[in-house]
Amino acid sequence: MKIILVSNSMHDIFVKFISSKFDIINKNDKLSLSEVNDYLENVKPIVDGIVIIDQVFFQWDETDKLTFSLLADNINNAKILIFTTDFKKQFLLENYIKSDNIKVVTIDYIRLSQNILNREMEYLINLSQRTKPLENISKDSQHNIKKVNTEKKRSFFDRFKSSHKDENKYNPTDQLERDFESISKGISRVISITGHRGSGLTSTSINLACEASKRGLKAIVIDLDIDYRGCNAYFSNFNEASNKNEEMNASLIRTLAKPQDYKTSCFCVNENFWVTSLGYSFNDKRLIEHFYNSTKLVGLLSLLRSKFNVIILDMPLDLLKVFEDAIIHIDVFGLCVPNSIYGILSTLRNIEVVLNNESISYVNSKSKVVVTKYNDRAKFQEEYFVPEKVCEIMTSGISSNFRNEINLAGYIPYSFEFDKQIESDIPIVNSSTEYEKNYGNILLRLMEGVK
């Protein structure tokens, strides 16, 4: 089925999301709403449908009304599917454009996910089936329609399984392949990604696990931050599943309670990548008090070591106090610190507040620094604040208990592209070779353990 995608700056992201059964005519051309009519007049494509994402129009003004009127004249019998996150826009659109060939879908999630996009796009195929005799449709379209009609009906539980597996798999570049091939598939590392809140813990955890899975290593992220529950923002499919199913909503608690059932209590991103967290709406304090503790975490880690190569704990510094008895079961700490004096002082101060002297020394000896939100223009004492300088200052005596030499695992540069990974639902290691290289090197150094 031939479609035009109107999604402006989000074009590249949604092109990757859309099922292969749809042929995107403007695959290489980003279109805004104001450009779509000119495109239709100049290119004169033969299309079956137009998909519009509401990021392309922010207000419902006279210009938008005129654009939609012209669009209706230009597309003949093509179908229009509009996605919006604003109920007001849906009301205005439906009352202004009265046509059986137009459908407005309101999304009540943070963003439009891959599952919702492709599920709703079946509407275009269904409309085409009802309005066109099959013999007048191209062979390719006939094949697609027959495929849709003969698909096995999904069960209730299929909604909570990872879908579009081929689309969720990303192949690594070859730069680090040789280094990763030298890692034994029998190795297992428990890595705590820690630091003060806001220093990039969740993005680091997700991208390291994603990179590991691309390299053929089995990885799981355990999101212990039950205040922010950041995995919901990075995986809209998990967020949707937790909203629909109370068992997935309680994923972290269920996994801590029964580690042996992790395959049903955790969320499967792909065959090598699993996630467990709490859904936003889970608030059973009794269950949290009973299962959210060091004893349960140690039991979970013990089982997962035999199932995964990389076990990553998303663990802000204040949680080291909650799980202090589990610290000795962690192989290495990836200490996330920005290259700023404030970031270094905040990190050391938080460590001193939450841990006793013995635990601080242990964390110091098992840590490697991950410089997050790296600013290559930052300076310290009139010299560029390079990543190695962060390690040097941290162990310079600012903290009397954090004095052992600490090595650098790597750094993550900050960029506009970095922030878009939450909107796109695609970890940045899957869309940027620069970040893939950076996270790959960090993962290698963390998996070496502490020298």
Side-chain angles (χ1 to χ4, degrees), residues 108-111 229 231-245 248-249 267 278-281:
D108 57 354
Y109 295 107
I110 298 172
R111 61 186 174 277
R229 310 178 186 190
C231 281
N232 287 267
Y234 281 85
F235 297 105
S236 60
N237 287 349
F238 170 74
N239 181 242
E240 290 173 36
S242 66
N243 285 335
K244 295 175 181 177
N245 180 270
M248 189 57 68
N249 195 34
F267 180 78
L278 288 181
Y280 283 136
S281 62

Side-chain angles (χ1 to χ4, degrees), residues 257-307:
K258 293 185 177 181
Q260 67 275 16
D261 295 337
Y262 76 91
K263 285 191 175 182
T264 56
S265 61
C266 295
F267 180 78
C268 180
V269 180
N270 62 51
E271 61 183 358
N272 285 335
F273 186 4
W274 297 69
V275 169
T276 182
S277 181
L278 288 181
Y280 283 136
S281 62
F282 184 86
N283 57 9
D284 192 323
K285 294 181 180 179
R286 182 183 61 84
L287 289 178
I288 291 174
E289 288 175 2
H290 188 71
F291 294 107
Y292 187 72
N293 55 57
S294 290
T295 302
K296 295 298 183 182
L297 180 59
V298 170
L300 174 60
L301 295 179
S302 178
L303 180 131
L304 294 181
R305 279 187 184 275
S306 63
K307 308 293 182 181

Side-chain angles (χ1 to χ4, degrees), residues 412-415 418 428-429 432-439:
I412 305 300
Y414 180 76
S415 69
F418 188 85
I428 200 165
V429 293
S432 166
T433 55
E434 177 190 5
Y435 282 97
E436 179 188 49
K437 178 181 177 181
N438 288 346
Y439 279 111

